[in-house]
């Protein structure tokens, strides 16, 4: 965790942001007690210390985005053992509940920080405006790039 502080300043100057998925601050490798494929995800669950470092990073606003990394699979696919099942975990349906339960209610972040990390920050970092589609964003960024280039020609 301490290494993040020194790297963080340099990365932010390059507009690189950190994102954390709710399952990574809610579970760790110690929670895998069976061959249940629902625990198979990429990146995998890490140690309790890693999970606590993610929580601290979210609390200190080093990690500024909570995203779902939603990758669900059918019940048949996830019924296989860990070795043969596909990587993936349901994230969209549980993200708010996991964030409230594991971060807000435990005092790690405020409701306002939660709102920023789950909505405002991701939108502002992607430059997506309200009610704008990805296609709209690409067109707008291309036009802005063209205007910037023309300004210096």
């Amino acid at each position: 965790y301490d290494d993040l502080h020194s790297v963080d300043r340099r990365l932010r100057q390059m507009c690189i942001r950190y994102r954390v998925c709710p399952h990574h601050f809610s579970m760790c490798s110690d929670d895998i007690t069976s061959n249940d494929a629902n625990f198979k995800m990429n990146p995998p669950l890490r140690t309790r210390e890693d999970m606590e470092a993610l929580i601290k990073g979210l609390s200190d606003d080093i990690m500024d985005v909570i995203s779902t990394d939603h990758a669900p699979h059918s019940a048949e696919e996830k019924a296989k053992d860990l070795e043969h099942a596909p990587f993936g975990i349901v994230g969209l349906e549980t993200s708010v509940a996991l964030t409230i339960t594991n971060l807000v209610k435990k005092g790690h972040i405020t409701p306002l920080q939660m709102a920023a990390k789950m909505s405002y920050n991701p939108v502002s970092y992607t430059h997506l405006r309200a009610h704008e589609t990805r296609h709209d964003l690409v067109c707008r960024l291309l036009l802005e790039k063209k205007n910037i280039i023309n300004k210096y020609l």
Side-chain angles (χ1 to χ4, degrees), residues 2-153:
D2 292 332
D3 294 338
L4 284 176
H5 283 290
S6 60
V7 173
D8 184 55
R9 284 186 290 280
R10 288 178 286 168
L11 292 178
R12 287 193 185 275
Q13 290 171 348
M14 295 185 289
C15 294
I16 294 174
R17 301 293 186 247
Y18 301 101
R19 72 179 179 99
V20 179
C21 297
H23 49 275
H24 287 119
F25 61 71
S26 301
M27 299 183 290
C28 67
S29 57
D30 295 345
D31 296 317
I32 304 172
T33 58
S34 67
N35 200 24
D36 186 345
N38 288 305
F39 289 108
K40 186 174 183 179
M41 59 198 74
N42 197 10
L45 296 176
R46 303 291 185 189
T47 67
R48 181 160 309 283
E49 292 79 24
D50 292 328
M51 182 183 74
E52 290 167 358
L54 292 177
I55 293 170
K56 180 110 171 84
L58 286 162
S59 177
D60 292 348
D61 285 327
I62 291 174
M63 278 91 169
D64 45 9
V65 172
I66 296 172
S67 64
T68 64
D69 199 26
H70 185 71
H73 292 279
S74 70
E76 293 80 26
E77 291 174 300
K78 292 306 264 188
K80 299 175 182 175
D81 63 25
L82 274 171
E83 183 180 347
H84 297 100
F87 289 97
I89 187 168
V90 173
L92 189 60
E93 295 91 339
T94 59
S95 62
V96 171
L98 289 174
T99 304
I100 290 171
T101 301
N102 295 301
L103 299 178
V104 176
K105 284 187 174 181
K106 294 181 179 180
H108 297 297
I109 65 172
T110 66
L112 190 57
Q113 283 176 299
M114 176 184 158
K117 290 174 189 300
M118 295 186 85
S119 61
Y120 178 79
N121 293 350
V123 169
S124 66
Y125 298 151
T126 59
H127 307 287
L128 192 63
R129 295 177 180 158
H131 309 294
E132 187 174 50
T133 66
R134 286 184 190 191
H135 175 75
D136 295 334
L137 171 65
V138 170
C139 292
R140 182 171 52 80
L141 291 176
L142 288 173
L143 287 173
E144 288 175 9
K145 181 177 178 183
K146 181 180 175 188
N147 289 338
I148 290 169
I149 292 170
N150 288 339
K151 180 179 175 181
Y152 292 100
L153 289 179

